Amino acid sequence: MAERNGLEGKLMTVEQAVARFVRDGSQIAVGGFTINRNPMALVYEIARRRVRDLHLVVHSNGQALDVLVGAGCVGRLEIAYGGNGRFAPTCFRFRKAVERGEFLVEDYTNNQMTLRFLAGALGVPFIPSKSGLGTDVLAREGFPPDVRGRDGVAPHKAHLMADPFDHGEDQVALLPALTPDVALLHAQQVSTDGTVRIRGLTFADLEQCKAATTVVVTCEEIVPASFLKLEPDRNSLPPFLVDAVVPVTYGAHPTACPYFYDYDPAHLNLYKAAAKDDDQWPVYLEEWVYGVESWDAYLDKVGGAQLARIRANTVAGYAPGLDRR
Amino acid sequence: MAERNGLEGKLMTVEQAVARFVRDGSQIAVGGFTINRNPMALVYEIARRRVRDLHLVVHSNGQALDVLVGAGCVGRLEIAYGGNGRFAPTCFRFRKAVERGEFLVEDYTNNQMTLRFLAGALGVPFIPSKSGLGTDVLAREGFPPDVRGRDGVAPHKAHLMADPFDHGEDQVALLPALTPDVALLHAQQVSTDGTVRIRGLTFADLEQCKAATTVVVTCEEIVPASFLKLEPDRNSLPPFLVDAVVPVTYGAHPTACPYFYDYDPAHLNLYKAAAKDDDQWPVYLEEWVYGVESWDAYLDKVGGAQLARIRANTVAGYAPGLDRR
Amino acid sequence: MADTPERATDASGTTDAAPSPPAYTAREMMAIAAGRFIADGDVLFAGTGVAMLAATVAKRIHAPHAHIFFETGGIGPQLDELPMAVADPRVMAYADLNAGLVEAFSYVANRRLHTIAFLGAAQIDRYGNMNSTVIGDYDHPTVRFSGSGGACDAGSLASGFIVFMQHGTRKFVEKLDYLTTPGWLEGGESRRHAGYRRGGPLAVVTNLCVLRFRKDTKAMYLAERFPGVTVEEIVANTGFVLDVEGAGVAKPPTAEELRILRDDVDPQRLILG
Amino acid sequence: MADTPERATDASGTTDAAPSPPAYTAREMMAIAAGRFIADGDVLFAGTGVAMLAATVAKRIHAPHAHIFFETGGIGPQLDELPMAVADPRVMAYADLNAGLVEAFSYVANRRLHTIAFLGAAQIDRYGNMNSTVIGDYDHPTVRFSGSGGACDAGSLASGFIVFMQHGTRKFVEKLDYLTTPGWLEGGESRRHAGYRRGGPLAVVTNLCVLRFRKDTKAMYLAERFPGVTVEEIVANTGFVLDVEGAGVAKPPTAEELRILRDDVDPQRLILG
C-alpha cells in the first residue's frame, strides 16, 4: 500500500480554496446540520472575501447560514430550516434579513431538500415526494417568475402529478433535482490520496457532494491512505469527487465535530447576544471574522481552556458534562 | 449499556423463520449479489419445504436464484442479471427454465431494480431513471397483462414521461416501487438487541430490507449490543426493521461472507457440473439440499479442510491465494 | 406559561385516595401526558425540548420497546445527556446506528412501522394544521420562523403525530398565516383526498390540557384539562370556538413518573427549567 | 478465437526499427488496445474478464490517476488478486470505500466525472447497440443469457463505453434479437433524441481489430486491424456491411505492456488463459 500522494493539486489553504471555487452568484450546498460539522473556516473566509449573491441550497442549517446571511453574502436561499436548536429556535440574522426582504427565500422541507440532492446525485432531473401535499410548502412559490428557469433555479418549485402506477388515485409531488456548483464540507479525516471519512451522522452531506460540480473539504486531520483503506466500509467519499482538501483543526468551531470536539456553548451564547442586536452584530463580525488575522489567531481568541472544555470524549463523541446552558 | 435481550421473539431457527414468513406466492427480495452473501441456508430450507410460486425480485443474483429456480420454487421473476461471474456467465438452471418457459420473467437493469427498492424504502410509488431509454428493456414487457396490477405486480413495467422541469425536452422512465413481502439477508453480525452489521459491500441489501414488509436475517454470529453500539457508524439496520434473526455459521456457503470466508470455488465448480446437466441436477438437489439432515451435516459434507481453505483473512476479507480455477 | 413554571395547586381532579400527589410544573405534566400516547413498540420521531422528555419518560416507564430516532440520522441513541438540537452529537452516541436524513425519513415513512412524531409550531388551527414559517404575508412577513425542517415531512409521512403548544389565542388561530405542516387539512376526508395514505395529528398537548380530534369531522376538541385548570381558561386561550363536550380531567403525574423525569431524564433541568 | 489464443505471427505493421516485438496472444492484444482508450483521470466502470485487465494495465502504464470501480459498490480497490465476479470480495479489499449499487451508479451517472465503462455482449449491431438478454423471441427464447445487469445502465449513463467482443457473424449482426444496451440507437442524433445527455460506444475491441464509429452517422467502421489480421478476415466475420475505409494497423503491445499484464496483473492467468 504505497502512500502515493494523491493530494497533489488538491491540498490548499482556506484562502486558496475559496478564491478558486467560490464566486459571486455561485450555488453553494453547505454541509452539516445546525450545530454540527458546519464548514465554518470556509464560511469565515467567504465572508472576509465579501463574496456576494450566493445562492445557498440547504436543508437545516444554522451557524454557517447565519454568518453568511449576516455578512451579506446571500442573494438567494432554498432552505428547510434556519435554526440552531435551543441556541436559536430561529437563526437571528436569517430572521431579520428575511423580515427585511434582503434576499429571496424558497421554502422546502428537510426530506424534500434531501431528496432533491439525492436526485442530483443519482443523475435524474426530479424525484417524487409524498411530503407537503395540500400545504403552502408546495402551493406558495418564494422565488419570483423572473429568476426561474435559469442560473440553476428550477422553472417550478414542484410539479404535482397522479401516480401512473396506481390508476391515478395517488398524488405525488415531483421535486426538481439540485446540482449545486460547490459543496462545502467539514470532515474529520481525509487520507493522503483524497478519500474522505466522516464520523457520526452524515446528514445529507454525501448526497450534496455527489450532486455538486465541485467539492471543497476541510478536515481535522490528514491520515495515511493505508489507514483508511484498512476499513473501507467506514469511508464516505472517494478521491475522484474531491477537488480541494484543506486541513483546519477545529475548522467547524463553534459547531461540533463529533469525536474531536463538541459545539461551543459559550461561543454560541456570545453569538446569540450579538446576532440578536443590530448594533452588536457588526462588532461581532469585525471581532470574529473580518478582523481575525489567521486561524491561529481565531483559536487563541476562543482560548485554550475553552477548546479543552469542548474536547470530545473519543469514545462517546461529545464532551460529557459540558456546561451547555 | 445494559445487554437487554431485544432478540426475544426474533431469535429462531432457519426452519422456524421459513415456516413463519415464506409462503407460496410470497414476493421475496434476496440479499447479496452473485457469489457474495447469498442467504443460502434460508434458500435450502425454502427448497426443502417445497415452497411454490415465489415471486422473486432481484437485481443481480446467482447462487440463491439458481437453486430456487432449479428446485421449482419460482413462479415469477423480476431480475436484472442471472449469473455467477466466471463460475456461470448465465446461471444454468435459470437459463434452462427460461428457455423452457417454466415461469414468467420481467427484465430490468441493476440500476433500475436498485432504484425500485430505493423507492420502496423512501415510501414513494415510483422513481425516475435515465437507464434504458430506446431499448427493449423499457419497450418489452415480460409479464402478461393478466398478472398485472395485482398481487404486488405493477400495472406497467415503466412509464415514459417528459421532464416537467426542462420544458419537456428531457425524457425519463418512471419505474414502479418495489415493496416485497419478505427480504432475506445474510449478514456477518447481529447484536443481542437486533441491530445488524454488514461488512464489505452492501449491494442493495439496505434498500431491500427497508422496502420489505418482513426482514429475515441469518448471521455468522450474535454479538453484544454494547459492542455494536460503540461504533454505530458501522451498523446497517436498526432492530425495529428486523423480524427474525437466525445464527447460521457459514450460512452463505458456497457464496462468500467477507471477512469470514471466501466463496467456495470447489463447490461452485461441482455445482456448475451438476446444474448444467438435467440428469445430474436432481442428484445434486437430493445430495446437497433435500437429503441433508441438518446444517452440521451440510458442513461436514463440505468438509473441514475446505472450510479452512476458504476462511477469509480477517484484514483482507477474502482468502488470499485460494485456488479459484 | 411553562416558561414560568406553574405549580399545580390542585390535583384533586382524580378521586384517588392515595397519599396526596406531588407538586409538579405544567411542563412536567405536558411531558408525562404526551408520553402516555406512546405504545410499546412505537417508533418515535423525536425533536428536542419537551418532546424528547415525553419520549424518554415513556420509554423508561410503559414503552420499553419503543425506539427513538432523529431526522438527522441518529437511530436509537442511548441519550445519557439531553441533546440541545437534533444534530447534537448526543443523538448519535452509543446508538443502534448512525446514518443520515435519507435513511431517517425512510423510517418515518416506512409503512410497516408505527411511527409517531412529536412536533411544535407557532400556530395551529382547529384541524391540527400548523405554521412554523411566517407570521404575516409570506412574501413580506412580519415574523419569520425557522421553517418546516422535518415537521411537514413528519406530519405528512408518520403514522401520527403529537403536538406540543403553549396555549394562547395567537397560537390557536382560526386561520394560519402559512400552512407548513399538514394536519387534517379541511377536516373530514380531505387529508386522504390530498394524497396521504396515513398519519395526521393524534393529540395536542398544551400547558393547560390535552386536545384531540373528532373521528368524523377531524375537528379539535378538549379531551382532558389538566388538574387545576378550568374549561373557561382553555376556551379563553383558544382563538377559535372549541368543542369542549365530554371533557375530562387528566390524571396527574405519579411520583414514579416525576422521579424518572427529574432524576433520570433531565437532572440538569435543561428543558424542565 | 481468443479462447484458442492466436500468436501474432507478424507485428511488422509498424515501421519501428526497435528489437523485434515479443509474441503475444489475441487476448493480450485486446486488453492492451482497449487500455489505450483510457485517459489519465478517467473513472472506470469495470466488469470482470478482459475488461479488468485493460483497466488495470492502463492504470499501471499511462493512466496512474484513473480510478476503477465496480457496480457492486467497490470503489478504488487495490486488486491484489483478480476478481472472478464484480461481487467478488476482492473488489472491496483495501478500497477507497465500500458502498452499494445506489452509490456506484451515482458515480456512473455523475456529470462531473468522465466515466468509461467496459462491456461485453452476445450480439452487437452497426450502431453499437447490444444484446445480452436472449436469442430468439423474447417471450419464447431459444437461448437465454444473464440479462442486462449493469450493462444497459452503463451504456445509458456513462460518458462512454468500450466493448469487448469475439469477432464472428453471429455476434456482429444486422438486427439484434433484443436491444439490451443502448449504443447509438438508429445512428445520427437518435441517441440524443431518445433522452440521453451523453455517452455512447467509443470503440469495439475484438480478437481481430478495433472498430470505431463515424462522427456523423454513428455507424461502425474498422479503425485498426491487429497486426497479422487481414481486412478480408474481419469483413468475413462481420454480419453486416462494414465500412473499412482508411483502416490502419494497431501498434502491437510493447514488451513493457506485456510484462505488466503477465507478471503484475494476471500472474495466475485466470483471464489470460
Side-chain angles (χ1 to χ4, degrees):
Chain A
M1 281 174 287
E3 304 289 337
R4 183 168 54 75
N5 193 335
L7 290 181
E8 208 182 322
K10 293 183 183 178
L11 202 60
M12 58 186 82
T13 64
V14 161
E15 291 78 8
Q16 290 168 325
V18 171
R20 188 135 132 207
F21 295 114
V22 180
R23 305 187 202 300
D24 288 359
S26 290
Q27 187 178 120
I28 309 273
V30 183
F33 192 114
T34 63
I35 53 170
N36 196 329
R37 258 193 324 90
N38 284 212
M40 295 309 296
L42 290 167
V43 163
Y44 295 142
E45 178 60 17
I46 290 170
R48 269 191 298 269
R49 284 183 67 87
R50 273 39 177 208
V51 177
R52 289 296 174 262
D53 293 320
L54 289 179
H55 178 168
L56 290 191
V57 286
V58 297
H59 44 81
S60 286
N61 207 261
Q63 199 63 17
L65 165 78
D66 213 41
V67 171
L68 288 173
V69 165
C73 304
V74 178
R76 288 200 284 256
L77 177 61
E78 299 185 50
I79 189 170
Y81 179 91
N84 256 349
R86 296 182 69 76
F87 292 100
T90 304
C91 279
F92 305 103
R93 302 316 302 175
F94 161 74
R95 172 177 169 166
K96 285 175 192 281
V98 178
E99 290 170 3
R100 290 166 186 165
E102 291 176 4
F103 52 77
L104 298 174
V105 188
E106 188 73 287
D107 278 283
Y108 284 95
T109 72
N110 273 347
N111 191 30
Q112 289 171 347
M113 287 302 286
T114 303
L115 290 174
R116 295 179 67 201
F117 287 120
L118 176 62
L122 293 173
V124 294
F126 57 82
I127 195 158
S129 157
K130 296 285 292 176
S131 277
L133 301 165
T135 71
D136 286 329
V137 176
L138 291 182
R140 296 294 307 262
E141 300 223 341
F143 285 174
D146 63 305
V147 308
R148 292 209 160 274
R150 55 195 179 82
D151 299 332
V153 178
H156 320 288
K157 187 179 188 183
H159 176 86
L160 289 178
M161 74 176 277
D163 174 9
F165 298 100
D166 186 32
H167 314 291
E169 287 163 22
D170 201 12
Q171 297 290 310
V172 293
L174 303 186
L175 305 171
L178 282 167
T179 53
D181 297 318
V182 189
L184 306 179
L185 175 70
H186 186 72
Q188 284 89 349
Q189 296 175 319
V190 176
S191 77
T192 47
D193 67 358
T195 299
V196 177
R197 179 177 290 179
I198 296 173
R199 297 187 60 195
L201 307 173
T202 51
F203 311 120
D205 289 351
L206 307 183
E207 290 81 8
Q208 290 173 196
C209 290
K210 286 177 214 164
T213 307
T214 304
V215 175
V216 176
V217 183
T218 55
C219 62
E220 292 297 321
E221 58 189 23
I222 305 282
V223 298
S226 59
F227 173 71
L228 291 200
K229 284 178 194 291
L230 280 174
E231 294 189 282
D233 297 10
R234 300 175 67 188
N235 298 339
S236 308
L237 291 171
F240 54 77
L241 281 192
V242 176
D243 298 278
V245 174
V246 186
V248 195
T249 49
Y250 292 98
H253 181 274
T255 71
C257 187
Y259 302 100
F260 283 74
Y261 47 93
D262 214 326
Y263 47 85
D264 182 344
H267 193 95
L268 290 170
N269 283 324
L270 173 159
Y271 181 90
K272 178 179 182 170
K276 267 180 159 170
D277 182 331
D278 283 347
D279 295 329
Q280 284 306 303
W281 175 242
V283 180
Y284 176 91
L285 267 187
E286 189 54 38
E287 183 178 350
W288 288 95
V289 183
Y290 300 146
V292 175
E293 276 175 36
S294 65
W295 193 246
D296 280 356
Y298 178 91
L299 296 180
D300 276 344
K301 275 186 69 65
V302 175
Q306 184 60 11
L307 291 182
R309 270 177 221 116
I310 65 172
R311 194 175 72 182
N313 178 297
T314 57
V315 178
Y318 61 91
L322 177 65
D323 184 352
R324 295 179 290 139
R325 283 165 301 186
Chain B
M1 281 173 286
E3 304 290 336
R4 182 169 55 74
N5 192 335
L7 289 181
E8 207 182 323
K10 294 184 183 179
L11 202 59
M12 57 186 82
T13 64
V14 161
E15 291 78 8
Q16 290 167 327
V18 172
R20 188 133 131 210
F21 294 114
V22 181
R23 303 186 203 300
D24 287 0
S26 290
Q27 187 178 119
I28 308 274
V30 182
F33 192 113
T34 62
I35 54 170
N36 195 329
R37 260 192 322 92
N38 284 211
M40 295 309 298
L42 289 166
V43 162
Y44 295 142
E45 178 60 17
I46 290 169
R48 270 192 296 270
R49 284 184 68 86
R50 274 38 177 207
V51 177
R52 288 296 175 260
D53 292 320
L54 289 180
H55 179 167
L56 289 192
V57 286
V58 296
H59 43 82
S60 287
N61 208 261
Q63 200 61 18
L65 164 78
D66 213 40
V67 171
L68 288 172
V69 164
C73 302
V74 178
R76 287 200 284 257
L77 178 60
E78 299 184 52
I79 189 169
Y81 180 90
N84 255 350
R86 296 181 70 77
F87 292 102
T90 303
C91 279
F92 306 103
R93 302 317 300 174
F94 160 75
R95 173 179 169 164
K96 285 176 191 281
V98 178
E99 289 169 3
R100 290 167 185 164
E102 291 176 3
F103 51 76
L104 299 173
V105 188
E106 188 74 287
D107 277 283
Y108 284 95
T109 72
N110 273 347
N111 192 29
Q112 288 171 346
M113 287 302 287
T114 302
L115 290 174
R116 295 179 67 200
F117 287 121
L118 176 61
L122 293 172
V124 293
F126 58 82
I127 195 156
S129 158
K130 297 284 293 177
S131 276
L133 300 165
T135 71
D136 285 329
V137 176
L138 290 182
R140 295 295 306 262
E141 300 224 341
F143 285 175
D146 62 304
V147 307
R148 293 210 159 273
R150 56 195 178 81
D151 300 331
V153 178
H156 320 288
K157 187 178 187 183
H159 176 86
L160 288 178
M161 76 176 277
D163 174 10
F165 298 101
D166 187 32
H167 314 292
E169 288 163 22
D170 200 14
Q171 297 290 310
V172 293
L174 303 186
L175 305 171
L178 282 167
T179 53
D181 297 319
V182 189
L184 305 179
L185 176 70
H186 186 72
Q188 284 88 349
Q189 295 177 320
V190 176
S191 77
T192 47
D193 68 358
T195 298
V196 177
R197 180 177 290 178
I198 295 173
R199 296 186 62 195
L201 308 173
T202 51
F203 311 120
D205 289 351
L206 306 183
E207 290 80 8
Q208 289 172 195
C209 290
K210 287 176 213 165
T213 307
T214 304
V215 175
V216 176
V217 184
T218 54
C219 61
E220 291 297 321
E221 59 189 22
I222 304 281
V223 298
S226 59
F227 173 71
L228 290 200
K229 283 177 195 291
L230 281 175
E231 293 189 283
D233 297 10
R234 301 175 66 187
N235 298 338
S236 309
L237 290 171
F240 53 78
L241 281 191
V242 176
D243 298 278
V245 174
V246 187
V248 194
T249 48
Y250 292 98
H253 182 274
T255 72
C257 187
Y259 302 100
F260 282 74
Y261 47 92
D262 215 327
Y263 48 84
D264 183 343
H267 193 95
L268 290 170
N269 284 323
L270 174 159
Y271 180 88
K272 178 179 182 169
K276 270 179 158 172
D277 181 331
D278 282 347
D279 295 329
Q280 284 306 305
W281 174 244
V283 179
Y284 176 91
L285 267 186
E286 188 55 39
E287 183 179 349
W288 287 96
V289 183
Y290 300 145
V292 175
E293 275 176 34
S294 65
W295 193 246
D296 280 356
Y298 178 90
L299 297 180
D300 276 344
K301 275 186 70 62
V302 175
Q306 183 61 9
L307 291 181
R309 269 179 222 115
I310 65 171
R311 194 174 73 181
N313 178 295
T314 57
V315 178
Y318 62 91
L322 177 66
D323 183 352
R324 296 180 288 139
R325 283 165 302 187
Chain C
M1 199 173 229
D3 290 331
T4 53
E6 165 206 27
R7 289 279 153 194
T9 50
D10 171 25
S12 62
T14 60
T15 54
D16 195 337
S20 80
Y24 53 88
T25 67
R27 192 165 285 195
E28 289 168 339
M29 179 75 236
M30 287 174 79
I32 288 160
R36 292 171 183 161
F37 284 95
I38 299 168
D40 205 14
D42 281 357
V43 178
L44 307 175
F45 177 92
T48 49
V50 188
M52 174 138 356
L53 299 184
T56 313
V57 171
K59 185 166 167 62
R60 299 204 184 189
I61 295 173
H62 64 274
H65 298 97
H67 296 268
I68 297 175
F69 75 104
F70 295 85
E71 62 191 289
T72 44
I75 316 295
Q78 187 159 296
L79 296 177
D80 287 332
E81 293 192 6
L82 278 174
M84 296 288 270
V86 293
D88 192 313
R90 286 155 190 80
V91 309
M92 59 168 224
Y94 311 116
D96 291 336
L97 70 150
N98 289 336
L101 277 73
V102 169
E103 177 129 355
F105 285 110
S106 80
Y107 299 141
V108 180
N110 195 297
R111 72 194 189 292
R112 58 173 294 205
L113 301 176
H114 195 250
T115 50
I116 299 293
F118 293 96
L119 303 175
Q123 294 179 327
I124 191 168
D125 72 13
R126 77 177 68 233
Y127 295 115
N129 304 301
M130 297 191 290
N131 172 18
S132 51
T133 304
V134 291
I135 297 293
D137 178 49
Y138 178 58
D139 294 322
H140 306 283
T142 52
V143 183
R144 171 72 205 201
F145 299 114
S146 61
S148 161
C152 171
D153 305 309
S156 299
L157 305 172
S159 306
F161 63 89
I162 293 164
V163 184
F164 287 98
M165 298 282 282
Q166 293 298 306
H167 224 124
T169 51
R170 281 160 43 153
K171 289 180 161 279
F172 285 73
V173 298
E174 186 67 40
K175 182 160 173 40
L176 303 176
D177 288 21
Y178 183 99
L179 199 174
T180 312
T181 299
W184 298 113
L185 295 178
E186 291 100 50
E189 296 296 304
S190 60
R191 183 181 167 95
R192 191 172 59 76
H193 291 149
Y196 294 110
R197 283 168 299 189
R198 68 177 190 182
L202 303 174
V204 182
V205 179
T206 80
N207 49 317
L208 302 179
C209 61
V210 174
L211 303 147
R212 304 195 67 176
F213 297 87
R214 295 289 179 201
K215 279 215 161 51
D216 48 355
T217 63
K218 309 292 190 196
M220 197 185 288
Y221 70 94
L222 177 63
E224 292 183 335
R225 58 194 166 87
F226 289 161
V229 176
T230 65
V231 170
E232 291 67 33
E233 199 177 344
I234 294 164
V235 167
N237 277 287
T238 304
F240 50 81
V241 177
L242 184 66
D243 173 358
V244 299
E245 197 185 319
V249 177
K251 199 177 132 223
T254 66
E256 173 71 357
E257 285 170 328
L258 284 171
R259 188 194 61 72
I260 287 170
L261 181 62
R262 293 169 181 173
D263 299 351
D264 294 354
V265 176
D266 189 13
Q268 291 183 273
R269 302 192 76 79
L270 289 171
I271 296 166
L272 290 174
Chain D
M1 200 173 227
D3 290 331
T4 52
E6 166 206 28
R7 289 279 152 191
T9 50
D10 170 24
S12 62
T14 61
T15 55
D16 196 337
S20 79
Y24 52 88
T25 67
R27 191 166 287 195
E28 289 168 339
M29 179 74 235
M30 287 174 78
I32 288 161
R36 292 171 183 162
F37 284 96
I38 300 169
D40 204 16
D42 282 356
V43 178
L44 308 174
F45 177 93
T48 49
V50 187
M52 174 139 355
L53 298 185
T56 313
V57 170
K59 185 167 166 62
R60 300 204 184 188
I61 296 173
H62 65 275
H65 298 97
H67 296 268
I68 297 175
F69 75 104
F70 295 85
E71 63 192 286
T72 44
I75 316 295
Q78 186 159 298
L79 297 177
D80 287 332
E81 292 192 6
L82 278 174
M84 297 288 271
V86 292
D88 192 311
R90 285 155 190 80
V91 309
M92 60 170 223
Y94 311 116
D96 291 335
L97 70 149
N98 288 335
L101 277 73
V102 168
E103 177 128 355
F105 284 110
S106 79
Y107 299 141
V108 179
N110 196 296
R111 72 195 189 291
R112 59 172 294 202
L113 301 176
H114 195 250
T115 49
I116 299 293
F118 293 96
L119 304 174
Q123 293 179 326
I124 190 166
D125 71 13
R126 76 178 69 233
Y127 295 116
N129 303 300
M130 296 192 291
N131 172 18
S132 52
T133 304
V134 291
I135 297 293
D137 178 50
Y138 179 58
D139 293 322
H140 305 283
T142 51
V143 182
R144 170 74 204 199
F145 299 114
S146 60
S148 161
C152 172
D153 305 309
S156 300
L157 305 171
S159 306
F161 63 90
I162 293 163
V163 184
F164 286 99
M165 298 280 284
Q166 293 300 306
H167 225 124
T169 52
R170 281 160 42 154
K171 289 181 160 276
F172 285 73
V173 298
E174 185 66 42
K175 183 162 173 37
L176 303 176
D177 289 20
Y178 182 99
L179 200 174
T180 312
T181 298
W184 297 113
L185 296 177
E186 291 102 48
E189 295 297 303
S190 61
R191 182 181 167 96
R192 191 173 59 78
H193 291 150
Y196 295 111
R197 284 168 298 188
R198 68 176 190 182
L202 303 173
V204 182
V205 179
T206 80
N207 48 318
L208 302 180
C209 61
V210 175
L211 304 146
R212 303 196 67 175
F213 298 86
R214 295 289 178 202
K215 279 217 157 54
D216 47 355
T217 62
K218 309 293 190 197
M220 198 184 287
Y221 72 94
L222 178 63
E224 293 181 334
R225 58 195 167 86
F226 289 160
V229 176
T230 64
V231 170
E232 291 66 34
E233 198 179 344
I234 294 164
V235 166
N237 276 287
T238 304
F240 50 83
V241 177
L242 184 66
D243 173 358
V244 299
E245 196 185 317
V249 178
K251 199 177 134 224
T254 65
E256 173 71 358
E257 286 170 329
L258 284 172
R259 188 194 61 72
I260 288 169
L261 181 62
R262 292 169 182 172
D263 297 351
D264 294 353
V265 177
D266 189 14
Q268 289 182 274
R269 303 193 75 78
L270 289 171
I271 296 167
L272 290 175

